Amino acid sequence: MHLEPIPSASKVAALLAAPMEGRMLIGGEWCAAQAGGTIDSVDPASGKVIGTVPDAGAADVDRAVAAAAAAQAGWAATPPAERARILWRIADVIEANIDELSELEALDQGKPLYVARWAEVPGAVGQFRFFAGQAMAIEGATITPSITYQPPGKEMRAWTLREPVGVVAAIVPWNSPIVLTAMKLAPALAAGCAVVLKPAEDTSLSAMRLGELIAEAGLPAGVLNIVTGRGAQAGALLAAHPGVDKVAFTGSTATGRAVLDASKGNLKRVSLELGGKSPVIVMDDADLDLAIGGAANAIFFNAGQVCVAGSRAYVHASIYDKVVEGLAAYAQGIALGHGLNPETQMGPLVSARQAERVEGFIAAARSEGASILTGGERLGPAGTFVSPTVVAGVKPEMEIVREEVFGPVLAVQKFEDVDEVVAAANDSVYGLAASVWTESLSSGHRLSSRIRAGTVWINCHSMYDASLPIGGMKQSGYGRDSGREALDNYLETKTVCAVV
Ligand code: NAD
């Protein structure tokens, strides 16, 4: 274990040294929670408190929604090219502060620095650049209706306008805070919406810093408001708030359901990016070096705290022993440690609660008769580390195969033929993502059509790009983040029909 953190940017130290109690952003002002509540932010690798953030209550949420509503019309009326210019500048300021933001994510969330520095913060930059372009490409359609009863001598014209949906509440989880935040903010701002952002209570620090950087980039006051706080309080209040027109939610399926229930009062628009239990299918003709490393990375990247984590592997019987041996060896070779230690390949889980949850799944698998080929332990001396775990001897009905663990735990199963593996892959309430490992173009294509998931990767996994829609089928949610389709979450279509 590489437990010694080696932070390099003094800016992070300065940021952490400054009091955080007054760092919610409402209407362009930084403020504390009106009732004075705070939440501790913990470095999960050491268990030490690194900051104390405001715990927003009803009065704060009301003020944030009112500030967004006041800014909404002005932002919607801002010319698209100006919105695009500001979004592009946001990308630039994030990029200019990439080292600081990456260190902050590593410290607050626990992820290895390289994950933040080379995948997630650049991912956030990519979102703002992509949607800067999209801000200038919002289009309606002209339509020729077949209505025949217009007054004699007149003609009919019809067209559609695309208008911002209004005030958006963006509620995000803790596993990849900055990039998941950008996946909501960039399309919402491009569409002309004003936003109230609620980061997860365990990981609010990068959102608070992002708020400062976004203000620096010139976004008008009130267009982005940030309330830090607990899901059951600030999150639930936003989901139910009559002043919120749309909730853009990323989180667990159970919370997604609660958000949907709470949204009914004013029939908010809701998009839900939820949990997954993504299958990784290794065919008998796979390039095994690629497939073993790829399947291992699909589950162990970010300690398995990835919505699309490949947590169920299905391996063809003819190569099963070799692949499983390779996966176990890969898992054993992963260096655990503090996210800020450059030697670290896998960090802790985000919180003690999450580590205990993951331990519970491993214990249940053991008691149901599965065999833990490697890992399965809580590691110390401090922090919330769980060793990379490979579980074999599992049955389709076991919890470890059905439930989202959200930790570094892979359940491996054997298959004999294609129909069998398609049925097994689709035997899940989730449908977020899948990957297929094969050297056959035909079998890759065919499997990608037969698997019910929002994304299917062939010979790769967890490939994200701002241009590629990502989202779920079945209980993994609806609506898409990223790609042109993400704009649809934040736009209403208005039909104008005229007799001329
Ligand atoms: P969570 O559902 O517990 O929390 C997500 C967010 O919702 C947090 O900000 C939380 O404070 C808030 N929240 C909690 N209760 C709420 C309520 N009643 N009303 C409104 N908001 C509430 O999820 P998590 O544990 O933070 O994150 C892990 C989950 O997120 C996993 O299930 C994972 O698969 C999912 N996820 C999905 C995607 C995707 O794109 N599909 C991406 C990342 C994570």
Side-chain angles (χ1 to χ4, degrees), residues 218-433:
L219 189 74
V223 177
L224 171 65
N225 306 275
I226 304 173
V227 290
T228 53
R230 297 172 208 277
Q233 186 167 288
L237 286 164
L238 280 169
H241 203 288
V244 171
D245 300 294
K246 188 228 154 47
V247 181
F249 177 78
T250 300
S252 63
T253 295
T255 309
R257 225 172 251 126
V259 165
L260 201 55
D261 278 344
S263 71
K264 284 192 251 172
N266 64 339
L267 292 182
K268 290 179 183 63
R269 277 65 182 128
V270 178
S271 49
L272 299 171
E273 297 292 331
L274 306 177
K277 189 77 192 172
S278 300
V280 171
I281 300 172
V282 186
M283 302 295 282
D284 53 356
D285 65 350
D287 171 340
L288 290 193
D289 288 340
L290 191 67
I292 291 169
N297 203 40
I299 183 65
F300 299 129
F301 182 81
N302 207 31
Q305 301 165 116
V306 178
C307 55
V308 296
S311 51
R312 294 184 284 153
Y314 296 91
V315 183
H316 191 272
S318 64
I319 49 166
Y320 180 84
D321 289 344
K322 191 168 180 195
V323 170
V324 170
E325 199 179 293
L327 288 169
Y330 190 109
Q332 284 155 10
I334 293 174
L336 277 85
H338 196 291
L340 285 179
N341 189 303
E343 305 294 319
T344 293
Q345 293 169 318
M346 195 173 112
L349 297 179
V350 72
S351 62
R353 184 167 39 94
Q354 186 63 11
E356 279 150 25
R357 192 171 171 271
V358 172
E359 285 182 291
F361 279 112
I362 297 169
R366 261 201 192 101
S367 72
E368 286 182 288
S371 45
I372 311 296
L373 298 184
T374 186
E377 291 151 1
R378 178 84 179 259
L379 303 175
T384 50
F385 294 90
V386 173
S387 54
T389 303
V390 179
V391 187
V394 298
K395 299 203 178 72
E397 62 277 11
M398 286 182 181
E399 207 181 40
I400 201 79
V401 177
R402 309 208 74 78
E403 300 290 330
E404 181 180 49
V405 174
F406 225 56
V409 184
L410 175 65
V412 196
Q413 294 173 78
K414 199 184 277 187
F415 72 91
E416 303 274 352
D417 72 64
V418 174
D419 289 343
E420 176 198 352
V421 78
V422 168
N426 286 336
D427 180 20
S428 173
V429 297
Y430 296 111
L432 189 56

